[in-house]
Amino acid sequence: MPPPPPGLLDLYVPMLLGLGLLTLLVAWAPLFIKRAPLSLPILCVGIGAAVFSFDRIAPYALHPLEGPELVEHAAELIVIVSLMGAGLKIDRALKWQNWAITTRLMVIAMPLSIGAFWWAGLSLLGLGAATALLLAASLAPTDPVLASDVQIEDPQSAQDDEARFALTSEAGLNDSFAFPFVHLAILAAAGGWGAQMWQEWALDPVLTRLSVGAAAGIAGGWLVGHVIYGLRDENRLARTGDGFVALGVTLAIYALTELLHGYGFFAVFLAGLMIRRAARDHDFNDRMHNFADESERLLMMVLLFMFGGMLTAGGLFTLVGWREVAFAALAIFVIRPLAGWIALLGVARPPLERFVIAFFGIRGLGSIYYLAYGLNHARFEEPNRVWGAAGLVILVSILLHGVSVTPLMRRLDRQRGVPLA
């Protein structure tokens, strides 16, 4: 085993202190920021940026170009935990009319967003076609982790309105449907845009991986639901009362699906939906959801803390120029809201609700995962500029959506006549 970096052991006790205080903050902060135009992700990023600005700690900041595998797998873990939590909290029947808005966001808003991001990457950032597509596919999905403030709170929540449901279900699905476009960028970077590449892309990343992911998620979720709720009473897994079953199910289904050459993100979300439907009103659903939610918040805390360090000591700020600033402004204020608005044309919902759905397409840890995944699987030009642009988009998204989420969601609830907590 290689020796630890010089000085790291000297920081062991201060690291424990910092981790403990940050963990307590994650538990405590929601109580006093609930009514404020502030969010937990903003606090975590700000603390990370401040801590890593100290010279003694700065050398330990994570840089995406120096540790791309670590960045990829750390983001991967939190995304799959978040997807399981999203699946477990959705209680609506799988009927077309219940999922019509979600379908519009997937079929209309996501392709429009990818196309617009791709064009902006080409024309504004001067990236090549494959690199611009990787950036576009990475930024297109609504993040299932950081979008929690605009999602359904829990399986028994009374705030299951169309806006929260649409953003919860969109975040659960579009991380899966962005993957074919990430693979398209990888194939194009490796071999160009020839006919053979398009055939390979249609057969493998689109048809095979999506089909395997869907089959593994539905079958795995049904089987796990039967083990939890359907066996004889003395053998039911639900009798344990252990919420960490959710983590075991998440890891097992994700890994198995990946081994079967499918999209694990898709499988995990579908498995969560199936498990929820195995026994909708069982208390064990709440236990699993709560454990997944708490695990997600702890992982989010660590990764956003490190993201704050990436912005300062990790060098992401040094990769940003006026073109990246213009790209970020276009991405946050124009592309996603406009794509969402187009997707919702003709939907008979109140204007504020449609605005919330279109506007709150927050970018975050899922984008970090896809970007790291793509850069780890093919050679793209100017990865530093790609990281700079993506990092700025994520930072602006965290700040803007974190500040605006509380007043806008409270206003939406007032319009719906929901009593405010």
Side-chain angles (χ1 to χ4, degrees):
M1 178 179 294
L8 184 59
L9 289 179
D10 295 336
L11 296 175
Y12 176 68
V13 174
M15 286 169 58
L16 289 182
L17 174 62
L19 182 61
L21 292 175
L22 195 58
T23 303
L24 290 174
L25 178 66
V26 169
W28 187 41
L31 299 178
F32 64 84
I33 65 174
K34 189 172 184 179
R35 295 177 178 271
L38 191 63
S39 70
L40 186 58
I42 293 177
L43 292 178
C44 292
V45 172
I47 292 171
V51 168
F52 282 100
S53 65
F54 290 98
D55 293 339
R56 180 73 184 278
I57 303 175
Y60 303 102
L62 184 63
H63 194 293
L65 295 177
E66 297 174 2
E69 291 83 7
L70 178 59
V71 173
E72 175 188 339
H73 293 304
E76 177 184 39
L77 178 59
I78 188 173
V79 170
I80 61 174
V81 172
S82 179
L83 290 172
M84 174 58 71
L88 288 172
K89 73 174 68 170
I90 292 179
D91 202 25
R92 293 199 182 186
L94 299 175
K95 297 180 180 179
W96 163 254
Q97 58 266 35
N98 290 339
W99 293 72
I101 293 180
T102 306
T103 303
R104 284 171 169 262
L105 293 174
M106 299 303 305
V107 175
I108 302 175
M110 173 172 267
L112 286 177
S113 297
I114 291 176
F117 285 134
W118 181 71
W119 170 83
L122 289 174
S123 58
L124 193 55
L125 298 179
L127 300 174
T131 306
L133 180 58
L134 174 64
L135 180 60
S138 300
L139 292 176
T142 295
D143 189 66
V145 182
L146 300 185
S148 59
D149 286 338
V150 292
Q151 293 180 0
I152 302 169
E153 292 183 2
D154 56 66
Q156 305 299 330
S157 176
Q159 294 178 318
D160 184 10
D161 55 272
E162 284 299 324
R164 286 182 172 89
F165 172 75
L167 291 167
T168 303
S169 54
E170 182 202 13
L173 286 170
N174 66 6
D175 266 301
S176 310
F177 286 94
F179 231 141
F181 296 97
V182 173
H183 280 288
L184 179 60
I186 292 171
L187 291 172
W193 298 88
Q196 184 176 354
M197 184 277 293
W198 287 103
Q199 293 173 5
E200 181 182 351
W201 177 69
L203 181 62
D204 185 10
V206 177
L207 181 61
T208 302
R209 292 184 184 235
L210 282 174
S211 299
V212 171
I218 294 172
W222 177 87
L223 179 61
V224 170
H226 181 72
V227 172
I228 294 175
Y229 303 113
L231 298 178
R232 295 174 56 183
D233 187 61
E234 63 270 19
N235 295 324
R236 290 179 181 175
L237 189 56
R239 289 195 63 200
T240 66
D242 295 325
F244 61 76
V245 166
L247 182 59
V249 172
T250 300
L251 298 178
I253 288 182
Y254 179 79
L256 179 61
T257 306
E258 290 291 318
L259 289 173
L260 294 173
H261 200 60
Y263 289 133
F265 285 179
F266 197 21
V268 166
F269 178 68
L270 292 178
L273 291 176
M274 295 299 295
I275 293 170
R276 174 70 186 167
R277 274 146 190 75
R280 276 193 172 89
D281 299 323
H282 201 289
D283 291 342
F284 193 63
N285 274 324
D286 296 338
R287 287 181 178 270
M288 289 193 296
H289 168 266
N290 291 340
F291 184 87
D293 183 63
E294 291 168 2
S295 300
E296 174 191 331
R297 283 195 292 152
L298 286 172
L299 290 169
M300 177 197 72
M301 166 200 74
V302 174
L303 290 181
L304 289 181
F305 177 80
M306 297 304 296
F307 177 67
M310 288 165 57
L311 294 173
T312 53
L316 277 188
F317 273 153
T318 65
L319 306 175
V320 172
W322 74 266
R323 292 180 181 273
E324 285 75 20
V325 172
F327 178 86
L330 190 65
I332 299 298
F333 294 102
V334 179
I335 292 178
R336 162 63 194 204
L338 182 59
W341 177 77
I342 293 173
L344 297 176
L345 286 175
V347 174
R349 303 301 305 176
L352 179 61
E353 195 171 81
R354 285 184 283 136
F355 172 78
V356 166
I357 295 172
F359 178 69
F360 280 111
I362 187 169
R363 275 57 185 142
L365 298 173
S367 296
I368 290 176
Y369 167 76
Y370 278 127
L371 198 53
Y373 179 92
L375 292 173
N376 287 337
H377 285 79
R379 185 179 295 276
F380 292 88
E381 78 270 15
E382 298 190 272
N384 55 337
R385 293 197 65 200
V386 175
W387 272 116
L392 185 60
V393 170
I394 293 167
L395 176 62
V396 173
S397 184
I398 290 173
L399 295 176
L400 176 66
H401 294 118
V403 168
S404 59
V405 62
T406 297
L408 278 175
M409 298 310 289
R410 289 176 67 82
R411 183 178 176 184
L412 181 63
D413 288 337
R414 281 197 300 270
Q415 282 195 1
R416 294 173 51 240
V418 175
L420 301 180

